[in-house]
Amino acid sequence: MAPRFVYAPAPESRAVVNLRPSYGLFIDGEFVEPIDGGQFKTENPSSQEVLAEVSSAGLADVDRAVRAARRAHEEVWGPMPGRERSKYIFRVARILQERSRELAVLESLDNGKPIKESRDVDVPLAAAHFFYYAGWADKLAYAGLGPGPKPLGVAGQVIPWNFPLLMAAWKLAPALATGNTCVLKPAETTPLSALLLAEILQQADLPAGVVNIITGAGDTGAALVAHPGLDKVTFTGSTEVGKQIQRRLAGTGRRLTLELGGKAANIVFEDAPLSQAVEGIVNGIFFNQGQVCCAGSRLLVQEPIAESVVEALKRRLETLRLGDPLDKNTDIGAINSSTQLDKIRALAASGEAEGAQRWSPSCTLPERGYWFPPTLFTGVVPAQRIAREEIFGPVLSVLTFRTPDEAVEKANNTTYGLSAGIWTEKGSRILHMAARLRAGVVWANTFNRFDPSSPFGGYRESGFGREGGRHGLEAYLEGSLDG
Amino acid sequence: MAESRLAVRKTYKLYIGGAFPRSESGRSYLVAGPEGHPLANAALASRKDLREAVVAARKAQRGWAAATAYLRGQVLYRVAEMLEGRHAQFVDALVAGEGLTGAEASSAVDGSVDRLVWYAGWSDKFAQVAGSSNPVAGPYFNFSIPEPTGVVGVLAPQASSLLGLVSVVAPVIATGNAAVVVASEAHPVPALELAEVLATSDLPGGVVNVVSGRTAELAPVLAAHRDVDALDLAGAAEGTEAELEAAAADNVKRVLRSRRPGPDWSAEPSPARMLFFTEIKTVWHPVGV
Amino acid sequence: MVDRGRDPARTGGVPPRGRNSGLADVARSEVSLRSFLLGLPGVDQVGAELRAAGLGARSIKAAAKLWAIDTAISMVDLTTLEGADTPGKVRALCGKARRPDPADPGVPPVAAICVYPDLVPFAKAALAGSPVKVASVATSFPSGRACLPVKLADVADAVAAGADEVDMVIDRGAFLAGHYGVVLEEVQAVKESCGPARLKVILETGELVTYDNVRRASWIAMVGGADFVKTSTGKVSPAATPPVALVMLEAVREFADVSGTAVGVKVAGGVRTTKDAIKYLVLVNEVAGEAWLEPDRFRIGASGLLNDLLMQRYKQRRGAYAGSQDFSVE
């Protein structure tokens, strides 16, 4: 039977975005051609259409960017009074708001995420981060991080493709507020919003060299983090690469912040507010196609309600709308790249091979582009790969538990420790569970909420250091333990 | 006039899980005074001893972290009391071991007692200073609290065998971590004596474990151990840090690097060490009716 | 009380916790009713409002919007509930109900006219031969503060006058005092008095305040025999809101899973614009399911809304905006 209420396509207009055919590297306040790098293409993952040519920074380009940042730190940004830095950062925040539509469309084009997410989450949160940290720039002495807080100097920042603009904001805003200068390396597959951010920094008259944005692939990132001219390295991405960076920085004395992978447990007790729990489970794993380090990828549901929760989930997943990321009614967009799609496919296949039951709603995947349907695995046991490895895709593994202790034990039975969810109407149980879960962010009766004032970061192999809030300043200030 | 009496020499053993075992390897090494004269034999801990110490620390850590901050403060204060009570013994140990003058040694013991008292007072204040309530833009109550990182491997400072040791161990345990301490290789006696103080101070067994031996042999084991969450390189030999840090990356350990030259342990510390060995946990909860 | 149900614990909906009981058992005693209601999963306010807001952000354009406008028109309970109501006012409204836009016969009639009991005969006469139903509020609307015999007499009067539908109010005082059995028995008694007339049970959610209460009251009404659960009288603020509708739509879906009986939902009060109406249709579609997208299962109680729907319809069809005098004002 044909559905009664067919939502007509409601695409956001692409006309707000002026894509240039090719982009240089943003070094010392201007776009320049690479010295020893090359060019690569960035595509729209929902259609495989090439969006633009982007420069890849080579060793000499990385060096040039680090030098520009050093000069800017010593001559301009370091000596500048906090209240003046503050105003620059406020100005950037304002322009981000003013150009939010453009940024949102560009983000969805380059990343494949639904426009409703880039419009309602990524871009407003990015602006909010600049607003939040702008206000800290002249109040650092009150941050409780020691007297006369001093910047570290030059920060090399490598960010992932899942929240390109937002991650740039998470990195740049606190670094700039604390008086550091930056060399930012966006992800290979999602360089465009960072390059538009570079234009915005120009528009804000941010002094040259304070922020340098060098695009490229993994080798550019590796060259950046290894550059001896840095005082600080921050990285958000996979645990595997994070470990490589930690090894690379061993013995250098350079400060490091790592925000890595996760395999979060989302724990649903039988007395949970079930409708909201179902929403939280959906948001937890299907937000941004599950390509979220803190995704609630392991559903731990108490046995008495396991069956009904799975049924309710299935019903809910049938209403998810997968398709054109620019359509305002799209809930599930494209997977960011063919590489990522292959990884998701391989892990999902392992789930089936290892005996878990796979289910997806009846949705048609577009022919072009990289797509993966929302997927549930039931009958999952802890020893299966899909219960242990980060899939970074729209794949939920459902496990059960009987008692709070068992839930804690299963939730903590991972080498990660980024986030966790708890669903119960019993307040004392929430606090009991929250205290026992080894995770940097615990969402109780909600999931995947973010705020610039709220510290974010992991335990164990999910990384160290915090981003957001007062705690986020610490990563960019000299401390009494720095020798 | 009393007859001269033959002194009873003390055997120094390891301190693991609240007990004082010999090294499973049966090895020991000679501890010498500043002029090279023999002072004592200390157990030469093996990889297996270290492994046992990590197991003991892991086992003790959860309960120690779950104890109230008030109780942890009481225990640390008790350690200070016990150390004060054995003041003279530690002065002797420092004079004999490090070659300090009596006044220097006395000052180091005073400093150690005072440091313990300082951290005892921190245990129930640190969360207030390091935590926060965060004004998120939405109907949520959001707070951040520091929690212990877990099991911390500590390479105790080589030179300052008591004050340095207390200065690195107290901040680790004040916040609820458990420690596996590799004592100063050349001057292990104060650490091993301190273990006796700890054992009689209401500190649950396993919260602090002390092994003596070759730092160069034990440090890489500790650095690579996947059930150790963090590492303090205070006593790492110069030139070994890069290797230890690299090994520590295997499970993304938090590594507190050593400073060259080492810090002045007699200076008043900041809460930074406690901050380093804690994780900030942020909890969100909706606010509604 | 007839057993309307299967074992709720065996359904795909949200099972009540506690004793494994069918719906027949729920109404057996004050104790069983109370334990059933308090055992329903809680509703988290923030989560429910977030979900409603998310659905409210759906963008309904072009053909979908046209379909939604006509569907919304066909779901309107065109309402006048004023002390100053007269037969003339009611007749005027009935004219509008039968043919909302005289210039465009393609506009469907509304679902019903909603009036006070004493005006039912005039409405009935004016709507003779049309598919538009006559709904009457009753049970000492809007406060419901009268004894049961008076309320039942009110219902009987409306039904005798020809009302096709009766919109009763629950005893919010009894509900808030925790006397759930009293509320249930009243609904059951009114249902019996309705005879063939369909019963809409007004919860007056603005007085119940919490979504937990909305959910419990919805279940009392459904167990008591309601054909519709309705948000509000329109006399209390807040009236209908998307999250309240969300909670009620979830409740009717769950009730249908458990009992096999589909109860409708009526939002009333505060729905003034086409945009509002379409938001509710999206909620209905995605929460209860498309089976609820028909006038038998979803209604919008409103007065001013109809002209806004007509203006938007004009705009969608002709591409230009209508003027404020292009549609009749009753």
Side-chain angles (χ1 to χ4, degrees):
Chain A
M1 198 181 83
R4 285 178 170 175
F5 194 1
V6 184
Y7 303 165
E12 185 62 76
S13 167
R14 276 180 71 154
V16 288
V17 172
N18 284 311
L19 273 174
R20 296 192 228 156
S22 72
Y23 289 84
L25 306 166
F26 183 67
I27 296 177
D28 214 6
E30 48 191 33
F31 284 94
V32 297
E33 292 305 308
I35 300 170
D36 60 346
Q39 302 284 321
F40 65 100
K41 293 179 170 64
T42 183
E43 63 175 14
N44 178 342
S46 73
S47 65
Q48 294 170 262
E49 155 209 11
V50 171
L51 294 169
E53 280 226 321
V54 179
S55 297
S56 164
L59 285 172
D61 300 307
V62 170
D63 188 57
R64 185 163 51 145
V66 173
R67 283 171 196 280
R70 173 65 59 194
R71 200 165 47 246
H73 180 256
E74 284 171 1
E75 293 170 9
V76 187
W77 200 245
M80 189 183 287
R83 65 169 188 279
E84 298 302 303
R85 287 204 310 272
S86 171
K87 286 185 283 182
Y88 275 111
I89 304 168
F90 273 123
R91 195 187 268 182
V92 171
R94 262 290 184 259
I95 303 175
L96 282 173
Q97 287 181 321
E98 287 166 350
R99 299 180 69 174
S100 59
R101 174 79 56 106
E102 187 182 350
L103 285 159
V105 172
L106 184 61
E107 197 75 313
S108 281
L109 279 176
D110 204 19
N111 170 280
K113 65 174 65 202
I115 185 75
K116 75 169 186 186
E117 290 179 10
S118 47
R119 178 195 68 198
D120 298 344
V121 182
D122 295 63
V123 176
L125 266 182
H129 267 269
F130 280 102
F131 264 105
Y132 177 80
Y133 279 109
W136 267 121
D138 53 357
K139 301 167 192 70
L140 298 172
Y142 305 102
L145 296 166
K150 287 187 182 56
L152 294 169
V154 178
Q157 308 176 311
V158 178
I159 57 170
W161 45 260
N162 57 346
F163 296 93
L165 179 72
L166 182 57
M167 288 301 106
W170 277 32
K171 295 282 183 270
L172 294 175
L176 296 178
T178 45
N180 297 275
T181 56
C182 305
V183 179
L184 178 81
K185 209 291 278 184
E188 179 184 8
T189 57
T190 55
L192 294 179
S193 56
L195 293 166
L196 178 52
L197 177 63
E199 290 177 22
I200 286 169
L201 300 176
Q202 284 180 322
Q203 199 184 344
D205 293 328
L206 189 74
V210 171
V211 172
N212 305 275
I213 298 177
I214 53 169
T215 45
D219 49 352
T220 301
L224 175 60
V225 301
H227 197 287
L230 298 179
D231 301 293
K232 169 81 190 182
V233 171
T234 59
F235 170 75
T236 297
S238 72
T239 291
E240 188 194 340
V241 175
K243 289 179 183 180
Q244 288 169 16
I245 294 174
Q246 191 178 1
R247 283 187 200 106
R248 187 65 191 72
L249 262 60
T252 64
R254 259 169 260 150
R255 291 259 303 263
L256 176 62
T257 297
L258 295 174
E259 204 273 85
L260 310 175
K263 189 73 187 177
N266 202 357
I267 303 166
V268 183
F269 285 95
E270 62 174 339
D271 67 345
L274 283 182
S275 299
Q276 288 70 50
V278 167
E279 288 310 307
I281 296 164
V282 170
N283 180 252
I285 186 62
F286 301 118
F287 173 59
N288 202 27
Q289 294 72 247
Q291 302 167 132
V292 185
C293 47
C294 53
S297 51
R298 285 184 297 154
L299 174 62
L300 290 179
V301 54
Q302 204 163 14
E303 274 189 32
I305 56 162
E307 235 177 281
S308 57
V309 165
V310 168
E311 265 188 68
L313 258 179
K314 287 180 175 175
R315 186 205 303 254
R316 176 68 177 86
L317 296 194
E318 289 287 0
T319 70
L320 287 177
R321 306 172 63 83
L322 177 145
D324 180 9
L326 285 188
D327 192 311
K328 287 177 250 182
N329 293 324
T330 292
D331 300 317
I332 306 283
I335 301 302
N336 180 249
S337 67
S338 60
T339 315
Q340 187 56 28
L341 182 59
D342 289 345
K343 277 186 195 163
I344 299 168
R345 282 178 173 159
L347 270 165
S350 84
E352 274 181 299
E354 292 179 10
Q357 286 83 55
R358 179 177 182 160
W359 181 91
S360 285
S362 46
C363 62
T364 330
L365 302 184
E367 279 177 19
R368 290 186 64 76
Y370 313 123
W371 301 92
F372 198 87
T375 300
L376 274 189
F377 274 102
T378 51
V380 179
V381 296
Q384 288 161 350
R385 285 180 69 197
I386 53 169
R388 302 197 65 78
E389 295 180 28
E390 184 176 41
I391 299 174
F392 223 66
V395 181
L396 179 66
S397 300
V398 185
L399 298 95
T400 61
F401 69 93
R402 295 161 298 174
T403 63
D405 281 352
E406 187 183 352
V408 168
E409 197 185 327
K410 283 185 165 166
N412 288 341
N413 182 220
T414 166
T415 54
Y416 296 111
L418 189 51
S419 66
I422 310 165
W423 297 84
T424 169
E425 288 264 283
K426 190 168 179 179
S428 56
R429 182 184 292 147
I430 287 174
L431 297 174
H432 173 95
M433 294 294 292
R436 279 158 184 76
L437 293 168
R438 300 287 288 159
V441 184
V442 175
W443 286 293
N445 292 333
T446 186
F447 210 93
N448 272 345
R449 299 284 118 204
F450 308 95
D451 191 273
S453 72
S454 176
F456 184 94
Y459 282 37
R460 300 193 278 192
E461 294 189 27
S462 289
F464 46 72
R466 292 294 176 268
E467 297 185 295
R470 179 176 70 80
H471 296 87
L473 298 168
E474 197 261 338
Y476 293 99
L477 289 173
E478 216 170 72
S480 61
L481 299 178
D482 289 304
Chain B
M1 196 170 160
E3 284 177 42
S4 75
R5 177 180 169 275
L6 185 67
V8 176
R9 283 189 187 159
K10 186 167 177 177
T11 306
Y12 290 100
K13 298 193 282 188
L14 308 175
Y15 181 51
I16 296 174
F20 290 91
R22 289 197 163 81
S23 168
E24 61 80 33
S25 67
R27 302 182 303 174
S28 64
Y29 70 110
L30 187 69
V31 178
E35 268 85 52
H37 55 283
L39 280 182
N41 284 313
L44 184 66
S46 67
R47 301 166 66 98
K48 277 188 187 165
D49 294 321
L50 201 57
R51 187 190 66 192
E52 290 306 313
V54 172
V55 169
R58 177 61 67 197
K59 199 169 155 197
Q61 195 266 327
R62 194 189 288 189
W64 179 239
T68 62
Y70 177 56
L71 180 72
R72 287 200 302 269
Q74 299 262 301
V75 170
L76 277 168
Y77 188 75
R78 181 71 183 152
V79 175
E81 285 177 342
M82 297 300 281
L83 184 58
E84 182 84 58
R86 295 168 70 167
H87 196 281
Q89 178 195 343
F90 278 92
V91 168
D92 290 348
L94 290 175
V95 169
E98 292 186 24
L100 303 183
T101 65
E104 286 167 343
S106 185
S107 161
V109 179
D110 289 347
S112 301
V113 173
D114 291 355
R115 182 106 336 135
L116 284 162
V117 172
W118 196 75
Y119 280 111
W122 262 119
S123 75
D124 54 3
K125 291 151 199 79
F126 179 66
Q128 291 181 306
V129 170
S132 59
S133 158
N134 310 308
V136 297
Y140 300 92
F141 178 54
N142 177 299
F143 63 93
S144 297
I145 44 164
E147 287 191 345
T149 294
V151 172
V152 181
V154 176
L155 304 181
Q158 298 294 348
S160 181
S161 60
L162 182 67
L163 181 55
L165 171 76
V166 168
S167 300
V168 297
V169 172
V172 166
I173 62 172
T175 51
N177 293 290
V180 174
V181 182
V182 177
S184 163
E185 181 174 331
H187 313 300
V189 170
L192 299 168
E193 296 280 6
L194 186 71
E196 292 175 15
V197 169
L198 299 174
T200 51
S201 300
D202 309 325
L203 186 75
V207 171
V208 174
N209 305 275
V210 182
V211 298
S212 51
R214 304 291 177 218
T215 305
E217 185 184 330
L218 298 173
V221 180
L222 211 46
H225 198 303
R226 287 185 54 85
D227 208 30
V228 173
D229 301 296
L231 196 59
D232 186 339
L233 294 181
E238 195 158 1
T240 62
E241 297 99 327
E243 190 194 329
L244 295 175
E245 275 188 63
D250 191 56
N251 67 330
V252 196
K253 279 185 191 66
R254 292 85 175 103
V255 182
L256 184 55
R257 292 156 167 157
S258 49
R259 290 163 66 176
R260 307 281 172 209
D264 172 10
W265 296 112
S266 65
E268 171 153 325
S270 78
R273 283 182 170 270
M274 290 185 290
L275 199 60
F276 193 89
F277 294 113
T278 48
E279 309 286 330
I280 296 298
K281 173 182 278 177
T282 298
V283 180
W284 292 68
H285 194 279
V287 177
V289 293
Chain C
M1 160 87 210
V2 190
D3 183 359
R4 295 177 81 169
R6 293 180 286 138
D7 176 0
R10 297 194 176 283
T11 69
V14 179
R17 294 188 299 276
R19 276 189 320 129
N20 196 18
S21 56
L23 283 183
D25 289 334
V26 168
R28 189 155 291 154
S29 71
E30 181 77 41
V31 172
S32 61
L33 179 62
R34 189 178 177 77
S35 67
F36 172 79
L37 295 174
L38 299 187
L40 287 167
V43 182
D44 183 79
Q45 181 193 346
V46 173
E49 290 176 357
L50 205 63
R51 168 80 169 132
L55 288 172
R58 289 284 194 223
S59 177
I60 303 304
K61 302 281 180 209
K65 188 168 183 182
L66 257 183
W67 182 88
I69 289 171
D70 280 5
T71 303
I73 292 171
S74 74
M75 291 171 164
V76 166
D77 277 8
L78 200 57
T79 302
T80 183
L81 294 167
E82 300 299 331
D85 285 346
T86 58
K89 167 84 190 266
V90 169
R91 272 194 291 270
L93 216 55
C94 290
K96 181 82 164 183
R98 295 175 81 129
R99 197 164 183 187
D101 183 0
D104 185 350
V107 178
V110 303
I113 281 286
C114 184
V115 295
Y116 271 113
D118 58 323
L119 294 166
V120 168
F122 304 99
K124 202 67 196 164
L127 291 170
S130 89
V132 180
K133 302 279 192 286
V134 175
S136 171
V137 296
T139 67
S140 297
F141 179 94
S143 72
R145 296 255 65 86
C147 62
L148 184 58
V150 168
K151 292 182 186 178
L152 294 178
D154 201 14
V155 173
D157 182 45
V159 174
D164 305 295
E165 301 173 353
V166 170
D167 291 22
M168 74 169 283
V169 290
I170 64 162
D171 184 342
R172 284 90 73 190
F175 182 93
L176 291 170
H179 302 144
Y180 302 130
V182 171
V183 181
L184 175 67
E185 280 162 20
E186 236 179 62
V187 173
Q188 288 170 326
V190 170
K191 174 69 179 173
E192 211 174 298
S193 298
C194 279
R198 305 187 76 196
L199 174 62
K200 304 197 195 96
V201 177
I202 302 172
L203 310 181
E204 196 64 300
T205 56
E207 290 183 347
L208 301 184
V209 180
T210 70
Y211 299 122
D212 290 324
N213 280 347
V214 171
R215 174 177 215 147
R216 289 172 192 152
S218 299
W219 275 90
I220 295 176
M222 294 187 294
V223 169
D227 296 296
F228 275 85
V229 284
K230 175 175 169 183
T231 59
S232 328
T233 60
K235 305 295 183 194
V236 165
S237 181
T241 65
V244 159
L246 172 88
V247 171
M248 292 169 67
L249 287 162
E250 282 173 346
V252 298
R253 191 195 69 213
E254 287 155 10
F255 185 79
D257 286 344
V258 175
S259 69
T261 303
V263 173
V265 172
K266 177 174 171 182
V267 292
V271 191
R272 294 192 179 85
T273 65
T274 301
K275 203 173 171 181
D276 291 340
I278 292 178
K279 275 184 195 178
Y280 283 110
L281 293 186
V282 168
L283 274 171
V284 172
N285 190 38
E286 298 200 34
V287 177
E290 64 173 14
W292 268 263
L293 280 173
E294 52 167 275
D296 262 5
R297 294 208 195 171
F298 191 70
R299 295 283 180 84
I300 305 170
S303 43
L305 169 67
L306 184 54
N307 269 357
D308 192 67
L309 286 165
L310 295 173
M311 289 174 87
Q312 289 297 322
R313 192 176 190 278
Y314 182 97
K315 158 75 175 44
Q316 285 300 116
R317 290 191 176 263
R318 317 234 182 140
Y321 292 99
S324 59
Q325 301 309 319
D326 286 343
F327 301 104
S328 64
V329 177
E330 282 69 37

